[in-house]
Amino acid sequence: KVSIHSLDVNNTMSVNQLIASLPKLDIAVNNAGIEGAVGDIINLTSEDYDILMNTNVKSLWLCMQEQIRWMRTHQKPGQIINISSVAGIRAFAESSLYVGSKHAVIGMSQAAAIEQIRHGIRINVVSPGAVDTPMLSRLFSKNMDTLSKAQPIRRLAQPQEIAEAIV
């Protein structure tokens, strides 16, 4: 059985209540992210940083922390899959905050994986390339064709393909 939950992942109480209410937790997929402010790094603000990092990094940390706590408290091994991006592996101009946040997701997931494996909790990251989503359209509306051709598969990935990789 699969249950999908949508909530404000920046609200610690909401995250804690949701995870605590789950009768069973075998696998968790953490997939929250925004593109945030883009542009030259000198034009970005502390507020831009806080908004993006809170959504892309802190929220994932909150969810993962509670998921691990649930699994360890119930002594149930499990799997956590965090979604990053190719931007967590390769940088792009005018996207320093987004790229930094996706690098952070990978690093945090790797460190947590090393910590938690002794409890039977496996943590992995999926880092998709360009996926045909509204966020990508907002960022690359004028260059979608060029972006598509730059992908190894010569097109944008579809969200269903990423879901299948996770499964």
Side-chain angles (χ1 to χ4, degrees), residues 9-29:
V9 290
N10 286 311
N11 183 309
T12 303
M13 185 178 287
S14 294
V15 170
N16 293 353
Q17 288 175 345
L18 170 67
I19 303 297
S21 74
L22 296 175
K24 188 173 182 180
L25 180 59
D26 298 312
I27 300 170
V29 178

Side-chain angles (χ1 to χ4, degrees), residues 101-138:
S101 74
K102 294 307 179 174
H103 273 75
V105 167
I106 292 171
M108 186 170 43
S109 299
Q110 288 175 333
I114 293 166
E115 294 169 1
Q116 300 308 316
I117 194 63
R118 65 190 166 118
H119 300 286
I121 300 168
R122 294 176 296 130
I123 301 169
N124 290 285
V125 178
V126 173
S127 297
V131 181
D132 191 7
T133 63
M135 186 172 89
L136 194 73
S137 294
R138 282 193 303 275

Side-chain angles (χ1 to χ4, degrees), residues 18-120:
L18 170 67
I19 303 297
S21 74
L22 296 175
K24 188 173 182 180
L25 180 59
D26 298 312
I27 300 170
V29 178
N30 297 312
N31 184 27
I34 58 171
E35 71 272 19
V38 295
D40 190 310
I41 193 169
I42 66 169
N43 296 323
L44 301 175
T45 66
S46 291
E47 183 180 4
D48 294 333
Y49 177 93
D50 290 341
I51 290 167
L52 188 124
M53 291 298 180
N54 282 342
T55 300
N56 292 9
V57 181
K58 184 179 179 186
S59 69
L60 185 133
W61 172 76
L62 286 171
C63 291
M64 191 168 51
Q65 185 180 50
E66 287 307 307
Q67 292 155 354
I68 291 167
R69 183 172 284 119
W70 190 102
M71 290 172 183
R72 286 176 57 175
T73 299
H74 293 86
Q75 298 181 338
K76 300 282 185 185
Q79 169 76 21
I80 297 171
I81 302 156
N82 295 322
I83 308 303
S84 180
S85 165
V86 69
I89 301 164
R90 187 174 71 217
F92 304 96
E94 299 195 348
S95 59
S96 59
L97 295 179
Y98 183 78
V99 167
S101 74
K102 294 307 179 174
H103 273 75
V105 167
I106 292 171
M108 186 170 43
S109 299
Q110 288 175 333
I114 293 166
E115 294 169 1
Q116 300 308 316
I117 194 63
R118 65 190 166 118
H119 300 286

